[in-house]
Amino acid sequence: MYKIVRKKELNPSVTLMDVEAPFIAKKAKAGQFIIFRVDELGERVPLTIAGYDREKGTVTIIFQKVGFSTNALGALNEGDYIRDFVGPLGRPTEVEGVKRVCVVGGGVGCAIALPSAQAFKEAGAKVDVIVGFRNKDIVILEDEFRACADNLYLMTDDGSYGEHGFVTVKLQELLERGEQYDRVLAIGPVPMMKFVCKTTEPFGVKTMVSLNPIMVDGTGMCGGCRVTVGGQTKFACVDGPEFDGHQVDFAELMSRNGVYRDREAQVTKDHACRIETMGKRLIP
Amino acid sequence: MANMTLTKTPMPEQDPQIRARNFQEVALGYTEEMAMEEAKRCLNCKHPHCVEGCPVNVRIPEFIAKVAAGDFQAAYEIITSTNALPALSGRVCPQESQCEAKCVRGVKGEPVAIGRLERFVADWYRQHVNAMPEKAQPNGKKVAVVGSGPAGLTCASDLAKKGYQVSIFEALHTAGGVLVYGIPEFRLPKAIVANEVEKLQAQGVEVMTNMVIGRVLSIDELFEMGYQAVFVGSGAGLPMFMNIPGESLKGVYSANEYLTRTNLMKAYTEEADTPIAKSKAVAVVGGGNVAMDSARCAMRLGADKVYIVYRRGEAEMPARLEERHHAKEEGIEFKTLCNPVEILGDENGSVKAIRCIRMELGEPDASGRRRPVEIPGSEFELPVDTVIMALGTSPNPLIRSTTPGLETNRKGCLIVDEKEMTTRPGVFAGGDAVTGAATVILAMGAGKKAAAAIDEYLNK
């Protein structure tokens, strides 16, 4: 059991939690993920690590309540326990040798772009950050990004805050005006990552993307998270989650991510009435 | 007076029509009367070959004599003096190629039903006594066991009995390894595995779930934490695919994923959150026990049609005869001498059919089995919405890639000496991590051998 020591609503649909997990906190690196299971009946859900405190022994997760299990997790409070919390899984963000990077985060993906941006900074790189949100109300982690970015570009789809436009508009502008990045890291919704890759491709900038396919165990056992990268089958859980975005088959990834969508909608509807039991259910 | 009946006392089973749609155990086990009757078929040979056929050398005629006498408690004690997990091995061992293959009664007629008797004794004990074992006098030494499958559980049990302070590190959220994620409930009820884990805990073994060794801690860090030896029983968890077109379509699973969702995550119950495909027609590719388990799960999850697609003939199938027999009884259709060449998808990227080519058997290959050869122009399509790849597994690279000095062979299996010690002093290994995918009992045998070797190593 893993105690939630802090809970903070970052915006109406995005929640931050600090979870007591000393072994993971000691080892975690930017870009890696954990898998949680809310209670005995819960499914295993991967979330990329948003931060950690090695001394306090806590791991920070930031998640959007989009489906059944993230809503179930969001229903827990400070002092409650998460049944299972395992990690750190996957490979960390590769920061070595990168001198000038542009980190691009979209929506809740910014939560996991932040530790990678910080890791690049610590490794001595010059770090530009572009973050994008639908509107002003859902902007998260602005101060934190400001603290680690050499240049922060904040974009909103409707222009209600920062600059008006998608992250790709800003990225295109920076590349066109001759900014020399040796790495772009994009983390966010799959369509956003796909378009970031399309933007950087003509400029020949190596672009890594953090993928979030459906997975079960997270240790290479189930193969459910397989993605096609450069024509080869890779397991996101052990070979990733970050891959060379110019090699990723995004259409296949999007298709595979939708495999349980109908059922998810049904389950979310059916379970909505008993969300308050979350974290306490047992196998009957 | 010995019972000279030529055939085994039959064991009651659920009716195939009914069981094909539920997850309750198929075999129902002997009653006390049946067990005593079957036990009387044992001739109590002076030189019992059955014992030699057992990877953990259960003193078979001795325990059977106690069953015949109705002293089931004594029978249990004899079995567990060498086998920590009889309720498991009694269910999932391939007795027909081990102990029972060597039984003298098998020369004329059927051998003694050793497996059924072992299962009976273990179940009787669990139902009537189920005393938790005592904690041994601590010897002050610490051993880490990586993986809580059959190898790890056996190794931990034997070491705990000798007074070692043992910690098991399990990557998943429930202890048991393949016994809980792979083997389905209807062959091995999970409550039985949980009961065995509880017994270990009663012996003072610490079971730490959600610990992926190679990520959260390395083998070297385990030594730094004060463990004086490490046993790696991390299994063979990496699934293989065929590398044919269409394997990334929605509806294609590895057997590992299909079984893990069904068994570990309990996707077969209404209450569990983990989803699984609601299939109408399923093709399972492969001919081993895992293929049979997958097919039988698919049937129980409600499929109308389930096929086993296997490139060799049925005689070449590695699956146990009993499993094949059960699968067929439950309505699973065997498409032998068929090899998939492509999986076809619809406009949504979901599986709609599997294209296969017919095969014929040619000359024997390196495995001694006749090599299947394609018959040109014999392709056909099988309309299915789900394909499960049960082609075998190989060891997970997570530990070998994070432990300097740990050598593996070409297939990624850990190399061990005759004492189960790897190329790193103090690091022992056994089970599928060493052999590649094999059986529960071989893993238990290796765990046992490693425990003895660790004891010797730490007392040098």
Side-chain angles (χ1 to χ4, degrees), chain A residues 119-133:
Chain A
F120 277 118
K121 191 77 207 164
E122 272 167 39
K126 183 163 185 271
V127 182
D128 285 359
V129 174
I130 309 172
V131 289
F133 302 93

Side-chain angles (χ1 to χ4, degrees), chain A residues 2 27 37 41-44 68 84 86-88 90 214 219-222 224 226 252 255-256 260 263 281, chain B residues 173 210 215-216 221 237-239 241 247-250 252-254 256-257 260-261 265 272-275 396:
Chain A
Y2 301 81
K27 264 297 174 64
R37 200 170 71 115
L41 290 169
E43 58 182 333
R44 293 172 66 96
F68 178 68
D84 297 294
V86 56
I214 294 172
T219 63
M221 198 184 87
C222 80
R226 58 195 187 277
E252 178 190 287
S255 171
R256 286 184 63 80
Y260 300 112
R263 185 195 181 271
R281 298 172 306 162
Chain B
H173 54 259
N210 296 327
R215 289 282 192 225
V216 72
E221 284 167 318
L238 215 62
F241 289 90
E247 277 185 318
S248 289
L249 290 167
K250 288 182 279 189
V252 182
Y253 290 90
S254 71
N256 263 2
E257 180 179 3
T260 301
R261 284 179 181 274
M265 305 310 297
D273 297 340
T274 300
N396 195 311

Side-chain angles (χ1 to χ4, degrees), chain A residues 3-224:
Chain A
K3 191 176 183 181
I4 300 165
V5 293
R6 182 166 77 107
K7 180 184 178 185
K8 191 177 161 198
E9 306 290 349
L10 298 187
N11 72 34
S13 71
V14 175
T15 306
L16 174 150
M17 282 179 180
D18 288 342
V19 180
E20 222 168 58
F23 281 110
I24 307 175
K26 211 171 147 196
K27 264 297 174 64
K29 285 189 172 161
Q32 291 186 299
F33 65 97
I34 57 93
I35 284 182
F36 77 87
R37 200 170 71 115
V38 70
D39 61 18
E40 285 288 344
L41 290 169
E43 58 182 333
R44 293 172 66 96
V45 181
L47 286 178
T48 305
I49 293 167
Y52 44 81
D53 187 323
R54 300 210 199 282
E55 299 205 332
K56 281 191 200 147
T58 58
V59 173
T60 306
I61 49 173
I62 296 178
F63 56 96
Q64 187 162 18
K65 289 167 274 186
V66 281
F68 178 68
S69 293
T70 41
N71 271 298
L73 180 62
L76 300 184
N77 292 307
E78 263 177 32
D80 287 346
Y81 289 83
I82 302 172
R83 181 70 187 80
D84 297 294
F85 199 80
V86 56
L89 301 168
R91 295 168 183 270
T93 303
E94 274 179 32
V95 294
E96 289 81 29
V98 178
K99 299 208 164 47
R100 182 115 204 273
V101 64
C102 184
V103 176
V104 185
V108 72
C110 294
I112 50 190
L114 176 65
S116 294
Q118 289 166 335
F120 277 118
K121 191 77 207 164
E122 272 167 39
K126 183 163 185 271
V127 182
D128 285 359
V129 174
I130 309 172
V131 289
F133 302 93
R134 274 201 319 279
N135 59 51
K136 178 174 185 281
D137 299 335
I138 58 167
V139 172
I140 56 170
L141 304 173
E142 185 184 349
D143 296 342
E144 287 82 352
F145 275 113
R146 258 189 220 294
C148 75
D150 291 282
N151 297 295
L152 175 70
Y153 306 96
L154 198 154
M155 314 293 291
T156 49
D157 296 359
D158 64 355
S160 55
Y161 192 63
E163 292 179 63
H164 188 182
F166 293 139
V167 289
T168 43
V169 171
K170 178 53 69 180
L171 182 61
Q172 178 85 23
E173 183 191 316
L174 294 175
L175 290 166
E176 275 174 359
R177 81 175 188 214
E179 297 290 348
Q180 295 293 319
Y181 298 117
D182 47 14
R183 181 73 50 90
V184 168
L185 171 65
I187 306 179
V190 179
M192 180 215 104
M193 293 193 284
K194 180 178 144 185
F195 284 108
V196 166
C197 293
K198 281 211 165 139
T199 306
T200 57
E201 201 161 20
F203 296 90
V205 183
K206 184 167 180 182
T207 304
M208 301 299 283
V209 291
S210 179
L211 303 187
N212 54 343
I214 294 172
M215 58 178 75
V216 184
D217 61 290
T219 63
M221 198 184 87
C222 80

Side-chain angles (χ1 to χ4, degrees), chain A residues 41-43 66-72 260-275 278 281, chain B residues 267 269-276 278:
Chain A
L41 290 169
E43 58 182 333
V66 281
F68 178 68
S69 293
T70 41
N71 271 298
Y260 300 112
R261 196 160 287 145
D262 293 347
R263 185 195 181 271
E264 174 81 21
Q266 187 58 42
V267 168
T268 305
K269 201 165 133 249
D270 290 353
H271 287 17
C273 53
R274 50 188 190 86
I275 204 95
M278 285 306 138
R281 298 172 306 162
Chain B
T269 64
E270 279 297 308
E271 293 80 9
D273 297 340
T274 300
I276 195 154
K278 294 257 178 280

